Every structure is written in structure tokens, then in C-alpha cells.
Amino acid sequence: MPDNTAAFPPLVADDTRAAGNPIMKPNKRTSSQRRMLQLQHSPFWAQNCWTFLWTVLLFNAMGCIQSIRCKPKSFRDSIVILELNATIDSNPTSIDETSGVVLRYRTPHFRANARILVPPVAAKETWTIGWIQACNHMEFFNTYGDKGMSSWELPDLRDSKIQAISDSDGVNYPWYGNTTETCTVIGPTKKDSKFVVSMNDNFYPSVTWGVPVSDSNVPQLSSIFRDQSFTTWLVAINQATSETLVLQTIRWRMRLDIKVDPEKPLGQRAVLKEPVAQVQPQILGKNEPIPPNAMVKPNANDAQVLMWRPKTGDPVVVIPPKY
């Protein structure tokens, strides 16, 4: 040890050298590390980094857009109801007593129309859009004093065997009709398709003045009561797959009460009672499914039967069903 210790710095407790640890020297950087540091401190580094990120995001977005274009909306998602109306005419039921054999009456019309937009259809498919209607409830009684009553009935509906019965025209099942009631779109199409589908319905029956099971025409009719409810759907059906899309659901009801005095002269016998004006249809906020029987034969006109129900004795079938 040298005698002059003043040449050496004093040792302190936390000095690494006091613990016998060697003094650490910084590692030498490799040439590649030095080049990376130079790039990071370059004024172009930040600009190049942002350019790279922007390019990646742009190509990713373009890929998403291209993906959307390659997957066009389904028919269900693309069809648009531009306008829809459902009303019952405000005029009251009219009564016709010009015939000495029957009384006739004509109710106001239920009317529904919809303006539809179908964007271009990419696929080779055919869709029919239109109205389907079913009867949910029917009471139709013609009373003949103390003799009894005749009634038009839908047996399966009356006995709750079915929920509803088709009100098709009897030819173009399941559609209500095939003129203004439907429209067909045949794909592929290149342009928007705009069209209107409309329908109307009312009652115009004849009721005999005399008892229907009698050969006599002596007037005995004393009242007519009718209460019927319907559901009407705006529907799109794929002709190849039978896929059915319910676009809108409407409920409506027609009620009728006529009092008759058979003793009065012809032309003065019948009087319309309440309701004179019908309750307006209800356009539902939530669509209802179409019952199976509303899509197939028979329709209400073919299934109905005219019964004679006397005050005493057994019921008699006057007019059987057509199917």
C-alpha cells in the first residue's frame, strides 16, 4: 500500500467499490442499433410511421367496404313500405227493398293500399307482394219472429277447430285477389321497383223475406244481425322457396244490426240500427303470423253453410258447404 493515501478518494458505505464490485461500463452498441437510433432521430421518422399506419388503415377499410358490396342486403331487409293506408268508408250500410222476394243490403267498403319500394334484386328469384286475408270470427243471424232463425256458419271456425279461415277469391290462393291485390318482381333487376297493391271488401247479400225452408214468400223476417272480424296481411312470398315475409298486419271488423217490421209495406220495413258508422281498422305495431288455414283451401265462401235453426225441433242444413 502506498504511504500517501491522500491520492485516493475516500470509500463510503454505498459505494459499489466498497463492496468489491467492479465499476460497470456501458455496453457498446452494435452497428444496426446505431442505425436504428439514427432513424428514430431523423425528421422523416414520424412522417414515415404515420404514412405506414394510414396505408394499413385505408386498405383495411377498403376491404370492409368491398366485403359489404359483395354481400347485398336480403330481400327481407331491402323491401320498404313507403306508404300504407287502411280505412272503412264513412257511409252507412244501405238497404234495398225493391224485391218482393229478398232484402238486400250493402255495407261500406274496407280498403287497404300500400306503396312499395323494392331496390335492385341481385339474385335470380321471383317475389310476389300482395294482400292475404282471413276471417277470424263470424256471427250472421236472420231472425224470423217466433219461427226461428237462419244462420250462415263456418263450422270449423264456430267449433274452434281452426283459428282463422282463408278469405281468398277461391282461385289465387293464398292471395285475396290477383289484379290490383298483388305485384310480382322478377330478379335480377338493375333499378328500383315501385308499385301499389290495393284491395277492398264489403258485404252485399240477399236475405229472403220468408222462412228459407218454407215454400211460402209471406214476409216474416224480423231482424238481421252480423258481426265479422278479419285479419289482413301485406305479404311477400318467394315463388321458388315459398319463403313468406309478413310486412304489415291489419285487423278490422264489420258490424250490422237491421230491424225489420214484416207487416209494413215493401220499401218501409227495414231500419238500420247502431252502429251506423264502423270502427276504423287497426294497423298493428307488431306483426302477427299467418295461421296455416289462412293460406290454403277452402276459403270462407266455399266452407260456409246456411243453417235453419227453428225455435222447436232440430237444425236443418239449407245450403251445404261447396267443398
Side-chain angles (χ1 to χ4, degrees):
M1 293 287 295
D3 293 334
N4 187 8
T5 59
F8 294 89
L11 296 177
V12 293
D14 62 347
D15 195 328
T16 55
R17 288 174 296 180
N21 293 328
I23 298 174
M24 301 298 295
K25 295 182 179 179
N27 292 331
K28 292 184 178 180
R29 296 186 177 93
T30 64
S31 58
S32 61
Q33 289 174 330
R34 287 196 298 273
R35 284 196 297 272
M36 180 60 68
L37 285 172
Q38 290 172 357
L39 282 172
Q40 290 176 352
H41 289 84
S42 168
F44 298 104
W45 171 258
Q47 180 180 350
N48 292 340
C49 190
W50 281 113
T51 302
F52 174 75
L53 290 173
W54 176 254
T55 303
V56 170
L57 291 172
L58 180 62
F59 274 100
N60 187 51
M62 290 177 65
C64 291
I65 294 170
Q66 183 65 28
S67 175
I68 293 171
R69 288 178 178 173
C70 291
K71 297 177 181 178
K73 287 185 177 181
S74 66
F75 192 88
R76 177 192 292 271
D77 296 330
S78 62
I79 189 169
V80 178
I81 302 174
L82 299 175
E83 183 180 1
L84 187 141
N85 295 293
T87 60
I88 294 178
D89 293 347
S90 60
N91 58 284
T93 296
S94 61
I95 301 173
D96 179 2
E97 292 188 39
T98 57
S99 169
V101 179
V102 295
L103 175 151
R104 296 185 180 93
Y105 63 85
R106 188 190 298 270
T107 66
H109 282 82
F110 162 77
R111 303 180 191 276
N113 63 81
R115 191 159 59 94
I116 307 294
L117 167 66
V118 178
V121 178
K124 187 178 180 181
E125 55 187 10
T126 300
W127 288 86
T128 299
I129 300 96
W131 298 103
I132 294 174
Q133 181 164 284
C135 178
N136 311 103
H137 175 79
M138 183 171 80
E139 295 178 72
F140 187 177
F141 309 128
N142 307 311
T143 304
Y144 293 83
D146 59 359
K147 300 295 183 182
M149 69 177 187
S150 66
S151 62
W152 284 102
E153 302 174 11
L154 296 164
D156 286 348
L157 191 64
R158 176 198 64 204
D159 299 338
S160 300
K161 293 180 179 179
I162 58 175
Q163 183 181 354
I165 189 166
S166 169
D167 199 26
S168 167
D169 62 0
V171 178
N172 301 287
Y173 286 94
W175 305 109
Y176 183 76
N178 196 30
T179 51
T180 64
E181 296 85 0
T182 61
C183 186
T184 300
V185 177
I186 302 174
T189 58
K190 295 182 179 180
K191 298 181 179 179
D192 291 349
S193 302
K194 290 183 180 180
F195 51 87
V196 174
V197 286
S198 62
M199 64 162 288
N200 65 80
D201 190 12
N202 80 323
F203 309 147
Y204 185 39
S206 300
V207 182
T208 58
W209 292 111
V211 174
V213 293
S214 171
D215 294 331
S216 171
N217 287 329
V218 175
Q220 298 188 66
L221 179 66
S222 56
S223 69
I224 299 172
F225 175 83
R226 190 165 185 172
D227 186 356
Q228 280 187 253
S229 299
F230 299 86
T231 304
T232 307
W233 294 270
L234 179 63
V235 180
I237 297 180
N238 186 306
Q239 295 302 313
T241 65
S242 296
E243 180 184 1
T244 301
L245 311 177
V246 176
L247 307 176
Q248 191 63 66
T249 308
I250 301 168
R251 287 181 184 167
W252 63 281
R253 181 183 185 185
M254 191 74 74
R255 298 171 64 199
L256 178 76
D257 188 4
I258 298 175
K259 299 304 180 185
V260 182
D261 185 348
E263 301 297 327
K264 289 187 176 181
L266 190 65
Q268 302 176 29
R269 296 172 181 167
V271 177
L272 179 66
K273 297 296 185 179
E274 295 291 342
V276 174
Q278 302 295 323
V279 175
Q280 289 300 307
Q282 181 184 12
I283 300 174
L284 302 188
K286 183 179 180 181
N287 284 320
E288 294 183 349
I290 306 175
N293 289 88
M295 302 288 286
V296 296
K297 297 180 180 181
N299 68 348
N301 285 341
D302 289 344
Q304 66 184 353
V305 54
L306 179 62
M307 300 292 298
W308 170 248
R309 298 185 177 278
K311 284 290 183 70
T312 58
D314 296 328
V316 177
V317 176
V318 181
I319 300 178
K322 296 178 182 178
Y323 77 99

